[in-house]
Amino acid sequence: MPSVTPQFLRSRIGKVCVAIIGATPAEMLEKATAVVKETPFLEFRLDYLEKPLLALPKLKHFLSDNTAVTAIATCRRSANGGKFSGNLAAEMEILSKAGTSGFHIVDLELESAESLKKGELQKLRDTGVALIISHHDFAATKDLDGIFKRIEPFQPDFIKIVPTAKSLTDNVTLMRFIERMDDHSNIVGICMGDAGIISRVLGLRAGSAFTFAAATAGEETGPGQIAARTLIETYRIDQVDAATKVYGVAGNPIRSSLSPIMMNTAFRRETVNAVYLALQANKLADLLKLVHEIPIQGLSVTMPLKQEIMAHLEKTDPLSAKIGACNTVLRQDGKLYGFNTDVAGITGPIEKRMSLRGAKALVIGAGGAARAAVFGMRDKGAEVFILNRTAETAQKLAKQSGSKTIKKDALSKTTFDVIVNATPVGMAGIKSTPTLEAADLNTKLVFDLVYNPLETPLLRLARQQSIPIITGIEMFVQQGARQFEIFTGKPAPEEEMLRVVIHALRQQAESVAETPAPAAKTKKAS
């Protein structure tokens, strides 16, 4: 059987390879059939099957019926982050038979290749398949050149190097490595982990031959993997080029942020050549280095960085300076400038419903968002009370803003016009005990700045007592729309931004309702 040439493969493969998993061949084929209409480049994770060899005749039939498909066979052993519990000989038998069953490429991990006896790799190649030799590091991003030197002697058709990003700048390390290897058009490079999203979106621009995606959300075969539709529709990965400007939302945690879907939708709607990424920033120094290295043109700054970033800005608008917190950063001529769009996002929705002049307001929290709420409402003439778990921080903010502090046990005896929650309590993915009880809601209006989930425990409590509410979505879209205008100089498509956020939140709520209890986790790769 003649070998598949890399040139032939290059003419067939797309930029995104979708990983197909399933507990049975039928489940795998059902998923592949759904995906192939949009993306005909597929990786079949044979190690997810109980008996991979028995599945090959069915997969062969699928591939002969779907001639547009380019298929990778992977049977990664558990020692290398896969699910296959068999030995090396069993793995090689499966991959060799995949080679004669219509698969175009097989993925063999470096450790397996290094353990093979002389001539065994050639037997695999004699089946006519192209070969990927891959290496996964679940702990860090280190010595990429050393890994390349170990893989190169095998002369594979593709070299796949997948470290784990422990910091944002690990992505830069990987992408600079790919760029240095520009005479090797066969390198696939991805960083795993929450911080690795940058490499998954910008890796192709750096020269990665292709990238991997999950068939759908919840079917990821590696930490931080993105669903194919999200990569193609939200991040518009096919259109990311050297001229694409990069923006992002930076904070910790950032996984459940809907800023990327909102901002990327706005960029697409207004035909802006830009992409907006979620940046898991554990340390501000790491984020600032990334901003200059990529370079990133603008940032939405969220918890817990809104105050800390102030010291690193060339200049801020008067509002940010007064509040001491900034949620928007623009990079111009290598320097960073700060703005605060949170204030308008908080006072705007309240003033649609009541005048803040002379109103009595309670703000829960004393961080960046709380500071925006306190100063914003004070500027509009409201009398503001602050409740915070750390009384000292509340007292400091009260002194700076001309507000008052209040203790939790005084709430049930005090009435307010509006209560604003400016803490992460109630946010999806954050375990926390509610700050307020039903007896504390002596107010005409409740505003929760948390926007995910759609209905927070606080808003549910308010609804139960027939108190009018403002959801965090209003604030989220308002402040995001102003950020879009600062970033691009164009009017924001607010209705479209609101629509896509509500749609995403409803989808999340539906999938949470349908998801069974999670099983024990195992290590996964790619």
Side-chain angles (χ1 to χ4, degrees), residues 55 79 146 195 217 238-239 374 383 389 480 496:
D238 289 329
Q239 292 162 46
V374 170
E383 182 186 12
R389 281 185 180 162
E496 183 72 2

Side-chain angles (χ1 to χ4, degrees), residues 3 36 44 58 83 89 155 159-160 215 227-228 236-237 311 331 353 356 387 407 416 473 475 488 516 520:
S3 186
V36 77
F44 287 86
K58 288 176 182 171
K83 289 180 173 285
Q155 298 182 309
I159 291 172
K160 180 178 163 192
R236 295 180 293 164
I237 197 165
R331 185 178 179 277
R353 293 154 173 96
L356 278 166
L387 172 69
K407 289 183 176 169
F416 297 98
I473 292 172
M475 184 259 184
T488 66

Side-chain angles (χ1 to χ4, degrees), residues 204-332:
L204 294 174
R205 183 169 82 168
S208 182
F210 52 89
T211 191
F212 285 83
T216 59
E219 294 185 0
E220 298 81 9
T221 59
Q225 196 176 67
I226 303 167
R229 185 163 283 177
T230 305
L231 263 186
I232 293 160
E233 292 179 6
T234 302
Y235 292 111
R236 295 180 293 164
I237 197 165
D238 289 329
Q239 292 162 46
V240 171
D241 58 22
T244 304
K245 288 184 174 178
V246 183
Y247 297 87
V249 55
N252 181 20
I254 211 69
R255 185 184 290 183
S256 56
S257 173
L258 292 182
S259 291
I261 195 165
M262 177 174 74
M263 287 296 203
N264 284 310
T265 298
F267 287 149
R268 184 175 66 230
R269 178 68 185 262
E270 297 303 314
T271 59
V272 178
N273 184 8
V275 67
Y276 184 101
L277 307 171
L279 307 173
Q280 175 64 36
N282 300 325
K283 290 180 183 167
L284 183 61
D286 178 38
L287 173 66
L288 294 171
K289 191 177 175 193
L290 182 84
V291 168
H292 292 291
E293 288 272 351
I294 292 284
I296 288 175
Q297 303 301 320
L299 287 175
S300 306
V301 183
T302 185
M303 294 178 296
L305 303 172
K306 292 183 183 189
Q307 289 163 267
E308 196 186 344
I309 201 164
M310 291 288 287
H312 302 272
L313 304 176
E314 184 74 18
K315 198 178 175 186
T316 67
D317 64 339
L319 205 50
S320 298
K322 185 177 180 180
I323 296 165
C326 149
N327 75 316
T328 310
V329 172
L330 188 66
R331 185 178 179 277
Q332 283 186 327

Side-chain angles (χ1 to χ4, degrees), residues 166-216:
K166 289 295 184 187
S167 67
L168 293 170
T169 46
D170 280 344
N171 293 275
V172 178
T173 302
L174 176 76
M175 292 192 290
R176 294 282 181 270
F177 163 75
I178 297 169
E179 286 165 1
R180 277 205 318 278
M181 298 288 172
D182 63 351
D183 54 336
H184 296 272
S185 60
N186 62 340
I187 291 183
V188 178
I190 303 158
C191 281
M192 293 185 284
D194 284 347
I197 186 172
I198 302 159
S199 70
R200 292 185 182 273
V201 177
L202 300 182
L204 294 174
R205 183 169 82 168
S208 182
F210 52 89
T211 191
F212 285 83
T216 59

